Amino acid sequence: MSHDLLLIDTAEKLYELPRTATGPRAVVMTMGALHDGHATLIRTARERAGAEGQVVVTVFVNPLQFGVNEDLDRYPRTLDSDLEIAREAGADALFAPAVDEVYPGGAPQVRVSAGPMGERLEGATRPGHFDGMLTVVAKLLHLTRPDLALFGQKDAQQLALIRRMVTDLNFPVEVVGVPTVREEDGLALSSRNRYLSVQERRTALALSRALFAGQDRLAAQAALRARAEASPASDERATALARLGEIRASADAHAVSAANAGLPDAVRAAALHVLEEAGRHEPPLLLDYLALVDPQDFTDVGPDFTGQAVLAVAAKVGTTRLIDNIPLEFGAHT
């Protein structure tokens, strides 16, 4: 249910915002151009904060995150609609400062370094991006002083780096990741989707299709492994089953060793096949990277990896660069 929303544009006014006595303060940081993905973050913040808590949304297009040839000037500014979306989603206050309010002395001399993890994947393509992101997140955490900070899992590397910064630098805040929100056709919600033409959007759908293809391959291999492991997987057992005419069980028993090894490579291959096909579309998808990584440090996972992983993709369609990812769970090999 919508309610009154306080618009704040200076740090001084933000500091004067009274905290509730009985509930936590939750913050949702955005660069504006809010859509339903942001609204989901705000609604989740409202749920976590509760009726007695407080939800603060920040809207700030951070120049430190944009490279020389990136779309800082082109990035949409839609404060009026942002206010309405934030209000409807349950925010109590929206902090929308000018650049010179956040960086009163110009570009900051001291910045937060993202370290080696910030140089991989998105960091390799966009040098300095994560340093700029972490610097403004650190400033906004100091300015808003929240108990909870909510971020979307669509920006998986960003989320991982924020978690790392909060841990390494002892920020007194709980970081909450919120699952990616998708449109009906599977495309991850993004402020940049509005730049896509009808034909470009059709090509862009390959990003989510590729991720789901990798997910499906993992599920299929896991099902094969479970079925095959219902019987001993030795060569002797497979041969005996074959003699009895149990061809399917024999094939499964032979296949279990393959299912248990190299599965990350199979997941990558399934996703890459979809992306390579999209590279032949008109307009084509121009792949930046496809990676299956450990979310702790965003290094590639090996063929015997077990545990949580992130399958991530970035590509350009026309002049629009898009990213997407899904979390995957690789079970223990037996």
Side-chain angles (χ1 to χ4, degrees):
M1 182 179 295
S2 62
H3 58 284
D4 291 339
L5 177 71
L6 181 63
L7 175 61
I8 301 170
D9 59 2
T10 68
E12 181 179 1
K13 293 175 184 176
L14 185 60
Y15 289 142
E16 293 172 354
L17 178 66
R19 302 179 72 95
T20 59
T22 56
R25 175 181 286 181
V27 66
V28 174
M29 298 182 190
T30 82
M31 291 207 299
L34 301 189
H35 48 64
D36 195 51
H38 298 109
T40 298
L41 284 170
I42 299 167
R43 287 192 292 266
T44 305
R46 181 79 272 161
E47 292 170 4
R48 289 294 303 267
E52 301 300 319
Q54 188 177 64
V55 175
V56 177
V57 175
T58 70
V59 170
F60 179 65
V61 182
N62 178 30
L64 299 189
Q65 292 176 227
F66 290 80
V68 175
N69 298 316
E70 294 184 335
D71 54 357
L72 173 60
D73 293 334
R74 186 187 179 202
Y75 198 88
R77 276 79 166 173
T78 58
L79 184 58
D80 287 344
S81 64
D82 292 346
L83 286 166
E84 185 58 29
I85 290 171
R87 179 184 295 109
E88 290 291 334
D92 298 298
L94 188 145
F95 179 49
V99 173
D100 58 4
E101 181 68 25
V102 177
Y103 304 120
Q109 297 291 307
V110 177
R111 307 187 186 195
V112 178
S113 171
M117 183 162 51
E119 298 171 357
R120 299 171 186 137
L121 299 188
E122 285 297 292
T125 301
R126 307 173 67 189
H129 166 73
F130 286 124
D131 292 354
M133 179 275 295
L134 289 178
T135 298
V136 80
V137 168
K139 287 180 71 77
L140 289 171
L141 286 174
H142 288 312
L143 289 166
T144 58
R145 297 168 292 170
D147 302 292
L148 308 168
L150 292 87
F151 298 90
Q153 292 178 359
K154 185 179 83 71
D155 297 299
Q157 193 171 5
Q158 170 180 284
L159 175 59
L161 281 162
I162 291 170
R163 290 189 192 280
R164 191 81 220 188
M165 178 183 72
V166 164
T167 298
D168 288 352
L169 301 185
N170 297 100
F171 279 80
V173 63
E174 178 187 351
V175 176
V176 179
V178 178
T180 301
V181 178
R182 299 184 180 277
E183 301 192 42
E184 289 185 3
D185 57 11
L187 190 67
L189 281 173
S190 169
S191 301
R192 291 189 169 96
N193 290 353
R194 68 187 67 194
Y195 301 145
L196 297 169
S197 68
V198 173
Q199 295 82 0
E200 289 170 346
R201 185 185 178 92
R202 191 176 299 120
T203 296
L205 293 177
L207 272 74
S208 57
R209 285 205 309 270
L211 298 178
F212 296 141
Q215 183 181 58
D216 289 346
R217 182 62 180 271
L218 176 60
Q221 293 291 97
L224 169 64
R225 184 165 59 241
R227 189 171 66 244
E229 289 175 350
S231 298
S234 67
D235 288 340
E236 292 82 1
R237 176 62 171 166
T239 302
L241 289 171
R243 290 197 187 104
L244 293 172
E246 298 179 32
I247 303 303
R248 178 61 177 273
S250 172
D252 283 356
H254 278 301
V256 71
S257 60
N260 278 344
L263 184 50
D265 290 337
V267 168
R268 291 186 187 97
L272 185 59
H273 177 71
V274 176
L275 296 168
E276 288 176 340
E277 276 195 351
R280 296 186 286 272
H281 290 176
E282 184 55 45
L285 180 143
L286 304 177
L287 182 63
D288 186 347
Y289 62 76
L290 171 73
L292 184 61
V293 297
D294 185 332
Q296 297 301 312
D297 57 11
F298 268 67
T299 57
D300 289 330
V301 304
D304 299 319
F305 179 82
T306 61
Q308 291 187 340
V310 172
L311 183 61
V313 63
K316 183 175 282 190
V317 181
T319 60
T320 303
R321 187 174 183 275
L322 300 170
I323 63 172
D324 201 353
N325 74 84
I326 55 171
L328 297 175
E329 180 78 27
F330 288 81
H333 299 158
T334 60

